[in-house]
Amino acid sequence: MAYGNRFRYADSDALAPLGIEVPRATWFGGRMTVLTRGSEIFRWWVRQANTVIIGLQRLGIAFGPQYLITVPGRKTGRPRTAAIAVVPIAGQRYVVQAYPKAAWVANVRAAEQVTLSRGRRSSVVKMVELPVAERRPLLRDCIADSPRVGKLFTTSGLVDDGSPDGVAAAADRIAVFRVEPT
């Protein structure tokens, strides 16, 4: 079955007796995309939701714990904006990585300061990455307070077990930043 000149996929039913599994191809955003895992589908939906959140935040509509983080790209230096959740825990504000290989995490590690925006307000802050030993109790408390976050970590592929202890055990794979004023 051919899709234009660039995409050619075999019929999965014909290859099934041979033990060859062909991923399903679907149309997303005007281009053919092959989805092989549930986390990839989830990641696609998150990107679409983040586009909407960024647009609403830029219009001045703030909701939930959502903020926009603007940080210079580590390679180009151009400002990059992403939607993140700033979570208050024990009187401090924290940002927790929710998805593997998030580009904003690498950019924040390389930057000295970032801009956090919420609605029409923005502030320049410093984000300090916590050592793994400090992340464990914080992640355990975060998941104990909101079990849905543990399910999010499991769905995104960061952890295998979404329980408080399972997420705390995976603290070396989950970046946690403390938001500090400059």
Side-chain angles (χ1 to χ4, degrees), residues 42-55:
F42 179 73
R43 183 78 182 232
W44 181 86
W45 281 110
V46 168
R47 274 191 237 117
Q48 303 311 308
N50 281 347
T51 302
V52 172
I53 290 169
I54 289 171

Side-chain angles (χ1 to χ4, degrees), residues 39 42-47 49-50 53 66 83-85 96-105 149 151-159 173-175:
S39 64
F42 179 73
R43 183 78 182 232
W44 181 86
W45 281 110
V46 168
R47 274 191 237 117
N50 281 347
I53 290 169
Q66 299 296 321
I84 59 168
V96 179
Q97 173 187 3
Y99 308 101
K101 300 179 185 174
W104 70 264
V105 172
V149 177
K151 184 177 180 190
L152 170 75
F153 286 151
T154 305
T155 305
S156 70
L158 269 175
V159 299
R173 291 182 301 210
I174 303 172

